[in-house]
Amino acid sequence: MTEEREDAALPPEEELVLARRALDEGDLAHAARHLAAALAQAPTLPEVHETLTRIGAVSGGDLDLFPLGQRAFVGSVVARAHLLAAAGRPAEGLDLLVAATGHAPGVDWAGVPWVTAPELARRLDPDRTARILMQVCAAVPDPAPRALRGPGRPYLTLARHAVAAHPRHGLLLGAASALARRLGEVTLAVTWASRGVRAEPSKLGEVWLGYAYRSAGRTRDALAALERAIGHDPDDLAVYADIAGTLADTGRLDQAIEWADRALARDPDFDCAVHTAHRLRFLRDGDVAHLVALADFVRDHPDDSHEHGDLAESCRSRPWLGQVTPAAGVLVDVLRSALAADGTPGRAIRLDALEPPSAMRTVAAAVPGLDVEVAGVADPDPREPRRASTCQLWRYDGTTAAPTLPVPSSAAVERVRQLAHPAWPHPPAAYDAAVGLATVELADLLGLLVHPPEAPPTALGRVLAGQDPSLWVRCVQVWACLGLLHHRTDEPWAGSTRRRVLVELVWGVEDWITEAALFALVSAAWVDPEVRADVAQVVAERLADAVTVARVRPVPIVISLAHLALATPALDPAATALAHGIVGAGPAGAPRPGALARLWARLAALLRRP
């Protein structure tokens, strides 16, 4: 189904004028075409339906005027649905309306009198109505966001009339309960599901009742219902996973994992149980190995029965697992504070120690003319690479850094501006998304690291530029390094250009680029078990080096390096313990409340605004 015709649609009022003109001229095909365009934009407008009724009367209800096909226009699908209903075939019409709802759930396709009329529910077979309601449920999240509840109301009215007409039909009551729950009618959902179980006890009925109780906050009743469902069918392992998830939601992780393990004992490859078990084990002990194992399972089982969000849920908002970690340091803190207060820093800043070159250049670009005085350069000299390298990105004139590389091509700049983002579902997803940079030349990818372009003129770009310009720079650097992972992938890892360049960046001048390159290596380890030992060694050595240096001078990137270590597959226990000690935030490694966490919360809130 598609939302667009081959030609651009006019406003619905103009489409109606053309439809009526074509109808008056006897050109039914063009009349139907313009009517469908108007209906797609204004599905409940009375004038649209009046014109459709005229077309139906003149054509004798010719359904071929609104054809279905592999890429049927949604307006034609909905028009056909209304003609079917007018021809006494409302069940078929409802099937098409539900298909339109699945395609665009935020549009009020069903908000028409024939759908909400009480007599429709009496005419329909209750089994058919139940299936229609279940199709609606498949199109609507649980719970539905506010924007989707209005378009779902006509279906709920249909459910009310159907339940009134068939008060003891268990399947109908359960399906109606599922829809009511999604639309926020939790009390009604419990009532209908309870009646359904009493009328026709079944596994599915108990599952619907358990979900309704869970939405109502009645956890004990929900668990009892779900356990009764298992009594009906001990082999339905999805219910075991539901029980585990419900227990986890109340903080009973040990019991939750026991239920997941019971399912896995029956089928070690049952996808719901595998996803749930790994997520819960990570919640319990914070060991990233559980998430890596889950990512491996997803990679090795591409044909799972349905999509799962456990990996993304576990990584969401966690440093480097699901988002760029905001930069640390005096300079960026001063800049953020000034932007938050709708001001700019003073014209001069004195630093006790030299900060990373990316930080110095980002603040200089954000506040032209700012005088930054550095009290001194402590040893080990932060202007020198930590190890010998052929990949020199910076040169220094005193304490002022300048790129050694030319600016990247305009094509590379445009590509990274399209891809760069501060968040991703999980490291494998970030790796996959960066394939869009696979054709960017190596010189351009390196140039992007030291010549980050301005943020794009999008809502995201404006938020990043206005709230924290450093975060956009870090986004560019992260995605450029992810792009390096896709450079010459035919080369074996050990001697590959991509590994050599990234490792040299890791050991180069202490900078935000160090973090970006290390994250790229960590992402490679997530997607390729063969490189894990190598990457884990690089991460452990780089973290240990940063800790050694931090004993004698400030190292602004050290906390971020610790978070990267905690995201690294197969990291040795000593390095893991060292990283936990640096982060000091409990075993799960969640970000602590503070300036950086508040910054990310402000950014997320701004991005959610319409």
Side-chain angles (χ1 to χ4, degrees), residues 306-473:
H306 60 277
E307 293 185 5
H308 295 269
D310 298 82
L311 182 57
E313 180 183 339
S314 298
C315 292
R316 185 180 299 120
S317 299
R318 294 183 181 274
W320 293 116
L321 289 175
Q323 68 181 50
V324 175
T325 299
V330 175
L331 268 181
V332 290
D333 283 346
V334 169
L335 179 60
R336 289 186 193 118
S337 298
L339 291 174
D342 296 323
T344 57
R347 304 314 299 173
I349 296 178
R350 178 180 172 81
L351 299 177
D352 292 333
L354 185 64
E355 298 216 343
S358 290
M360 303 284 283
R361 288 180 59 81
T362 297
V363 174
V367 189
L370 179 67
D371 181 20
V372 178
E373 180 185 349
V374 181
V377 178
D379 287 330
D381 193 334
R383 299 169 296 185
E384 297 294 332
R386 294 302 302 147
R387 289 185 180 176
S389 171
T390 62
C391 190
Q392 298 287 346
L393 301 185
W394 305 104
R395 62 174 179 271
Y396 275 90
D397 180 6
T399 57
T400 301
T404 62
L405 303 178
V407 297
S409 68
S410 58
V413 166
E414 184 59 28
R415 190 75 60 84
V416 81
R417 292 176 90 205
Q418 292 173 356
L419 285 177
H421 197 280
W424 44 82
H426 40 73
Y431 173 89
D432 290 342
V435 74
L437 295 166
T439 58
V440 177
E441 296 293 335
L442 175 61
D444 280 336
L445 290 171
L446 294 174
L448 288 168
L449 296 174
V450 292
H451 295 286
E454 292 184 358
T458 61
L460 172 63
R462 288 189 292 270
V463 168
L464 293 177
Q467 291 289 307
D468 185 1
S470 69
L471 193 54
W472 168 249
V473 173

Side-chain angles (χ1 to χ4, degrees), residues 13 15 105 119 210 217 224 263 338 341 374 392 422 453-454 500 594:
E13 296 80 8
E15 294 284 4
E119 57 267 23
V374 181
Q392 298 287 346
E454 292 184 358
R500 175 184 60 78

Side-chain angles (χ1 to χ4, degrees), residues 48-131:
V48 173
H49 290 273
E50 292 170 6
T51 305
L52 176 59
T53 300
R54 287 184 58 197
I55 293 174
V58 171
S59 68
D62 186 0
L63 297 175
D64 290 338
L65 290 171
F66 302 100
L68 301 180
Q70 189 171 7
R71 286 183 55 80
F73 176 47
V74 66
S76 295
V77 173
V78 175
R80 188 183 181 99
H82 294 315
L83 287 184
L84 283 167
R89 298 158 63 183
E92 295 174 64
L94 277 172
D95 284 339
L96 293 182
L97 287 186
V98 172
T101 295
H103 174 72
V107 180
D108 191 8
W109 303 113
V112 291
W114 70 267
V115 174
T116 56
E119 57 267 23
L120 173 64
R122 292 193 292 268
R123 291 173 57 192
L124 291 175
D125 177 81
D127 284 332
R128 184 69 175 270
T129 305
R131 288 196 295 273

Side-chain angles (χ1 to χ4, degrees), residues 543-571:
L543 179 64
D545 180 79
V547 170
T548 299
V549 174
R551 295 192 181 105
V552 293
R553 66 163 172 81
V555 179
I557 66 172
V558 69
I559 294 178
S560 179
L561 295 183
H563 282 301
L564 279 161
L566 295 176
T568 302
L571 192 69

Side-chain angles (χ1 to χ4, degrees), residues 207-576:
V207 169
W208 275 324
L209 179 58
Y211 289 170
Y213 278 139
R214 189 169 63 186
S215 295
R218 296 169 60 176
T219 303
R220 181 179 299 178
D221 291 331
L223 290 169
L226 293 173
E227 290 191 33
R228 289 194 299 270
I230 289 178
H232 285 282
D233 183 3
D235 293 324
D236 188 346
L237 302 184
V239 183
Y240 291 66
D242 286 335
I243 292 175
T246 302
L247 287 164
D249 289 342
T250 61
R252 297 151 70 180
L253 287 177
D254 289 338
Q255 290 176 265
I257 292 171
E258 287 176 9
W259 274 96
D261 286 342
R262 287 174 62 177
L264 292 173
R266 288 175 172 264
D267 182 357
D269 290 329
F270 179 62
D271 57 340
C272 290
V274 172
H275 283 256
T276 300
H278 284 308
R279 174 174 60 85
L280 298 182
R281 289 190 173 96
F282 176 72
L283 282 176
R284 183 171 65 179
D285 61 32
D287 188 346
V288 77
H290 302 306
L291 300 187
V292 175
L294 178 52
D296 289 346
F297 179 85
V298 172
R299 185 188 61 249
D300 296 338
H301 297 78
D303 299 323
D304 275 353
S305 58
H306 60 277
E307 293 185 5
H308 295 269
D310 298 82
L311 182 57
E313 180 183 339
S314 298
C315 292
R316 185 180 299 120
S317 299
R318 294 183 181 274
W320 293 116
L321 289 175
Q323 68 181 50
V324 175
T325 299
V330 175
L331 268 181
V332 290
D333 283 346
V334 169
L335 179 60
R336 289 186 193 118
S337 298
L339 291 174
D342 296 323
T344 57
R347 304 314 299 173
I349 296 178
R350 178 180 172 81
L351 299 177
D352 292 333
L354 185 64
E355 298 216 343
S358 290
M360 303 284 283
R361 288 180 59 81
T362 297
V363 174
V367 189
L370 179 67
D371 181 20
V372 178
E373 180 185 349
V374 181
V377 178
D379 287 330
D381 193 334
R383 299 169 296 185
E384 297 294 332
R386 294 302 302 147
R387 289 185 180 176
S389 171
T390 62
C391 190
Q392 298 287 346
L393 301 185
W394 305 104
R395 62 174 179 271
Y396 275 90
D397 180 6
T399 57
T400 301
T404 62
L405 303 178
V407 297
S409 68
S410 58
V413 166
E414 184 59 28
R415 190 75 60 84
V416 81
R417 292 176 90 205
Q418 292 173 356
L419 285 177
H421 197 280
W424 44 82
H426 40 73
Y431 173 89
D432 290 342
V435 74
L437 295 166
T439 58
V440 177
E441 296 293 335
L442 175 61
D444 280 336
L445 290 171
L446 294 174
L448 288 168
L449 296 174
V450 292
H451 295 286
E454 292 184 358
T458 61
L460 172 63
R462 288 189 292 270
V463 168
L464 293 177
Q467 291 289 307
D468 185 1
S470 69
L471 193 54
W472 168 249
V473 173
R474 290 167 71 77
C475 288
V476 172
Q477 292 171 336
V478 163
W479 286 90
C481 286
L482 287 170
L484 286 168
L485 286 178
H486 296 279
H487 181 73
R488 297 185 184 176
T489 53
D490 58 314
E491 297 178 345
W493 174 258
S496 66
T497 302
R498 61 191 186 281
R499 180 195 180 278
R500 175 184 60 78
V501 172
L502 286 168
V503 171
E504 288 195 4
L505 294 176
V506 164
W507 288 103
V509 170
E510 186 179 288
D511 189 48
W512 298 346
I513 295 170
T514 307
E515 304 165 64
L518 208 59
F519 174 67
L521 290 172
V522 170
S523 298
W526 274 71
V527 300
D528 185 358
E530 297 297 323
V531 309
R532 285 176 185 166
D534 175 47
V535 170
Q537 182 176 351
V538 173
V539 172
E541 290 179 0
R542 188 65 187 88
L543 179 64
D545 180 79
V547 170
T548 299
V549 174
R551 295 192 181 105
V552 293
R553 66 163 172 81
V555 179
I557 66 172
V558 69
I559 294 178
S560 179
L561 295 183
H563 282 301
L564 279 161
L566 295 176
T568 302
L571 192 69
D572 68 75
T576 300

